[in-house]
Amino acid sequence: MSLTAASAIENRRISRKITVNLDHHFLNVRPIIKSAFEEAACSLTEAYLKNSIMGWCIRGLNQKKHEEFLCTLFKSMINRASLQSRDFAIQVEGCKGILTWTNDTHGLSWPRILSTAKLARLIGWTSALRAVSKVGSSCDKTKRRIMSKYPHYITIGYVGVLPHEQHKGYGTALVRFVLDKADAAKYPVYVEAIDPASVKFFEKFGFIVQATVFIADRPDLPVALMVREPVSLGFPERLRIRPGRRDTGTSL
């Protein structure tokens, strides 16, 4: 990948030996191990470089700082998710595809992953305040209304596949992993999609658009709030997930 130094690329090769499934007839979805956080963050960075809402928030940032910001953001997100449960940050085929999810009702809104002060150091105060005030809380009220009838639910945060690895079933395998967990526990699943292609992708799994919110009232920045009901209705059961990774206190 173009976002890493030579040492990081070498580390990536090592992690691939650990995570790649040799049986190519079956896509093996696995938790992201700590030594692969950098690789996973780079994969999400490449997938989200052209994200319209992120781009609007940090407009004016040069390409290098844009990439550095996304890498830092996604690495922190993956770390936070894996501390809650190893299953909340997953990868397929050596980090060619990445997905983060949670059962926390606060979700995984990216402006809330880092503190406002850290956001400001990375993207400047104007962009940081724009992210926190215009994006971070934009969907909250509508989401609460839509999900108020569910005592428990899952939120899919971010799913990304390397551009040159798309159309190989990686995104489908990642989403299916989460939906299997949701169906077993009778949990609905919530996701926010920002473009027609993403909406269409999630619709094939049974997600339905419940509402559309426009960031900063801009018609060019829509967010479709989508929900998928579990295949079997009834009282929710325990969500079967692995415990979180131990926090060793070492810096990322």
Side-chain angles (χ1 to χ4, degrees):
M1 298 176 202
S2 62
L3 306 181
T4 58
S7 59
I9 292 174
E10 186 58 35
N11 288 336
R12 178 174 308 150
R13 291 182 183 134
I14 293 172
S15 70
R16 283 261 166 89
K17 292 177 183 177
I18 297 172
T19 59
V20 168
N21 172 34
L22 296 179
D23 179 6
H24 294 291
H25 298 290
F26 176 74
L27 295 178
N28 194 2
V29 175
R30 306 172 76 173
I32 303 170
I33 59 175
K34 188 172 182 180
S35 62
F37 281 7
E38 184 79 33
E39 177 182 5
C42 286
S43 294
L44 281 177
T45 294
E46 289 201 33
Y48 279 84
L49 271 174
K50 296 182 179 179
N51 180 277
S52 58
I53 294 174
M54 288 181 171
W56 174 76
C57 276
I58 61 176
R59 59 187 185 273
L61 210 63
N62 66 47
Q63 181 75 8
K64 181 180 178 181
K65 288 189 175 181
H66 185 171
E67 293 176 356
E68 289 174 350
F69 161 66
L70 290 181
C71 276
T72 301
L73 172 70
F74 287 127
K75 194 172 180 181
S76 296
M77 183 184 298
I78 291 165
N79 179 62
R80 177 181 293 190
S82 70
L83 287 172
Q84 295 174 356
S85 167
R86 290 179 176 87
D87 286 324
F88 286 172
I90 53 178
Q91 58 85 20
V92 64
E93 298 301 307
C95 292
K96 293 178 181 177
I98 306 294
L99 187 148
T100 61
W101 61 289
T102 183
N103 64 343
D104 186 337
T105 57
H106 292 97
L108 290 166
S109 176
W110 69 264
R112 295 173 177 151
I113 297 298
L114 304 173
S115 68
T116 303
K118 188 165 186 178
L119 273 176
R121 288 197 298 272
L122 291 167
I123 62 178
W125 275 107
T126 300
S127 293
L129 293 175
R130 186 184 300 126
V132 172
S133 64
K134 299 296 184 181
V135 178
S137 60
S138 59
C139 298
D140 287 354
K141 184 177 180 180
T142 306
K143 177 185 175 182
R144 283 195 298 268
R145 175 178 58 78
I146 292 171
M147 305 308 291
S148 62
K149 62 182 178 180
Y150 304 111
H152 304 284
Y153 61 90
I154 285 168
T155 298
I156 291 178
Y158 296 83
V159 54
V161 176
L162 290 170
H164 60 281
E165 298 288 355
Q166 292 180 1
H167 308 297
K168 296 181 180 180
Y170 296 154
T172 295
L174 291 164
V175 173
R176 179 51 57 194
F177 175 91
V178 177
L179 298 186
D180 287 346
K181 295 282 187 186
D183 288 339
K186 299 184 177 66
Y187 276 30
V189 184
Y190 171 89
V191 71
E192 295 173 1
I194 68 167
D195 57 67
S198 297
V199 170
K200 185 177 180 180
F201 172 75
F202 284 108
E203 282 179 338
K204 75 179 184 180
F205 297 102
F207 284 85
I208 297 173
V209 175
Q210 303 293 326
T212 300
V213 173
F214 296 92
I215 302 298
D217 296 323
R218 293 176 59 101
D220 57 331
L221 296 176
V223 181
L225 281 55
M226 307 181 73
V227 177
R228 176 192 181 269
E229 298 281 356
V231 293
S232 178
L233 298 177
F235 194 78
E237 300 177 8
R238 183 171 67 89
L239 182 63
R240 297 187 178 277
I241 52 176
R242 281 170 276 201
R245 178 181 58 80
R246 283 187 64 185
D247 188 358
T248 60
T250 55
S251 173
L252 291 177

